[in-house]
Amino acid sequence: MASIDAALLDFQRLDRLAAGTSALHRLDPRAKVLVVLVFLVSVISFGRYQVSALVPFFVFPAALIGLADLPAGYLARKVALLCPFALVVGVFNPLLDTDIQLYLGPVAISGGWLSFASILVRTLLTVSAALILLATTGFPAICRALEQLGMPKVFAVQLLFLYRYLFVLAEEGGRAARARELRSFGTKGQGVSSYSSLIATLLLKTWLRAERIHMAMLARGFTGAFQIRQNYRFGRAELLYLCGWSALFILLRLTNPAELLGSLVTGLFS
Amino acid sequence: MSHHIVAVKNLRHVYPDGTEALRDVSFRIHHGESVAIIGANGAGKSTLLLHLNGYLAPTSGEIQIGDFPLNKGTLPQIRRTVGMVFQDPDDQLFMPTVYDDVAFGPLNLGLSGGDLDRCVIEALERVGARHLVEKAPYHLSGGEKRRVAVATVLSMSPDILVLDEPTNGLDPYSRRQLIALLKEFRHTRIFTSHDLDMVLDLCERTIVLKDGEVRADGPTLEIFQDRELLEECRLEKPLSLQGCPVCGTRR
Amino acid sequence: MHMADALLSPAVGGSMWAASAGAIAYSSAKVRRELDDRKVPLMGVLGAFLFAAQMINFSIPGTGSSGHLGGGLLLAILLGPHAAFLTIASVLIVQALFFADGGLLALGCNIFNMGFFPAFVVYPFIYRNLAGSCPGRGRETWVTVLCAVIGLQLGPFAVVLETVASGIAELPFGTFLLLMLPIHLAIGVVEGVVTAAIVSFVRKARPEILEPAATAAPAGGVWPLRRVLLGFLLLAVVTGGVVSAFASKDPDGLEWAIARITGGSELKARGALHQSLARLQDTVALFPEYDFRSSALKPEPAAAPRAERPLSVHPGTSLAGMIGSLAVLLLVVASGLFLKKRNLRKAYGIH
């Protein structure tokens, strides 16, 4: 199944970005997680018709992409592909909210279009922030950060295990799906019944694997307590990073530099 | 030097569904020996290995590892003594990085800080995988995975190494590398494998299992010369002992 | 039916985060107390299994479309409620990070919608009661289908509630509900059929797998705690919904309702609205720096829409906003490029 293989490759590419060595990659993951949290709260706390005030927030993804030397085109393509649900729901806004909110010269713009644009910008911002967090930190480090920030250990271990076996099982599932596709000639044989037994077989194999892993853990002295190694330090750089970005987000939340700049420009011309 | 001995006496194992995987198995392996356990699929090799570190409990019979008989009380000690490398390294390497994986056993043994670091690095150096320490297991090649899997066991400094199909699925070069590595070890070693050429390289002694019983037990070369025995047990002479297909001469 | 960050108000997102975090903490404590260390790798690998299973599609006969397994109910049947909830939550977190399904703030909603309902509502209250301890094949099938349908109606219902309570999307409650529920009715039936088939396959091949979850019947003491938790979570949801509805949705919802009530005279109503807005605009024009001050005065996020609505009507302001946005965007891109260049230079030792 080409689509599964492609998805996996894409997944691995994103995963490998976290192996970067920039200063940003080396920061304590807690700082990065917290900054993204402040960013997200600031972005979604804006009103529904707000577009221009949201735009300056793009400074965060742009700066991070620059600092961490991430492939901007690749991330942009991913972001663009990843926001269907919000847009499907948002696309009704222009139809339902036709009150005129704004005039751009002779063109009247309704509240629905404004709020639709706002949803679009929010989606771009929130999705890119999540991807960049992942690309600069890596999933295991995020789990460790969350554990240090108070997430229950059982759940942290669950996340680490899940992540470890994602690739293994996705490949196994992909192989099974390919075998089914090669023998099903078009859509026949791709139905619910063959799907169910395929998934059930995969489930049984997974179960056996879990038993073998448990064996391997016992063989190495596992007694129920799971150790998670923590080797990060929340130092001055982290504090600076956290406070700097948070202050900027709060400032951007309270003022609207885009509009101020615009007023300045239009003021110069008029 | 009795503490590196593996003694199995009249071992029998019946699975919950009624399958009798082991009927009556007895053998004794001494300190420093390198022994292969071979046999057809379903002969009971894996079931036998799972008894050696107490994952399965015998239906009847006895197992003695070193000075201890295997029972609930001695289990932690025995799991420390017997290092087991599983067939699929993906089952063995379950932590997010190679370091965490190699450190898993020592951490459970109570090591920490500098001791832990030293122990992990030493184990990785012995298998020539020092450079992989911060890598994630799913980014390793098959051969690298296998060597790291061996390191996860070495880090607990076991006396006895048990390896299930170690060369399974490796390319010829990685296979060679692994065999050379395993040759260096001075531990008591127990292998199961279908790779009879590897057995010939590594083990002076071979135990042949058939339908849950020991069919033969003796020097490897002798067993591999016995054509009838091999055929009966659905095995074949190693390629290196067979005639050359081009010139037709026998070794 | 992933909820998305962009449609979410902070109040709703925050309450749902709290609810899901609470449920995760509770489930973690439960799983830890069970002390079944086999579950540690099992939950992790089953999470990965669910992830892989969702990548494989089947074709739905007669429609030309395809679907995949949701898996919440299946995991609950295999693992029991607490472990299943943690497993589903972990899968959703990975999806939120790697595929940005929904987003990080909407994660609270998504974990709740797709994990809490199947694991803590449908499975213990409906599935267990109807299926009993050893159901026949026919009974097991229809109970599973019924439970899958109920679970897949509760989830989207919650999505609608959360969206409407957040008030970012304009879709009215009834319409949205009518859009979501029938689609998910069909999805639920298919999910149920697939889940039932998988469960019966597993029962035939490895019956012992299904035993522990079924025999580990909740003791009498467990129920009150569970009820308390359920009550607490529902309370959180309702509070979040009500608070945010009042905070952010109120002005528009009211206007919309008023326009509806005046019915046929919709035009007139709109005219009146325009007049009042125009009046407001005059007031605003007296305070050129209105935006700055109003936001500064009302930093609490939920109150923001009130202030912006009249403001954005001002043509001059909006033009300024537009131009300013473009300029900022250009600056942002330029700075990003600059940083990147600098990095490259550093890497290659060029100055």
Side-chain angles (χ1 to χ4, degrees), chain B residues 61-74:
Chain B
E62 274 170 39
I63 297 167
Q64 188 172 344
I65 308 281
D67 299 321
F68 307 100
L70 197 153
N71 58 41
K72 266 228 149 69
T74 58

Side-chain angles (χ1 to χ4, degrees), chain A residues 214-225 227, chain B residues 53 75-80 82 94 104-110 152 156, chain C residues 37:
Chain A
H214 184 234
M215 252 188 273
M217 292 167 74
L218 287 181
R220 285 193 269 153
F222 179 67
T223 50
Q227 314 282 346
Chain B
N53 74 345
L75 210 53
Q77 180 59 38
I78 280 176
R79 285 192 173 147
R80 203 193 155 155
V82 180
F94 45 78
F104 183 84
L107 264 172
N108 286 328
L109 293 176
T152 64
M156 300 193 302
Chain C
D37 61 42

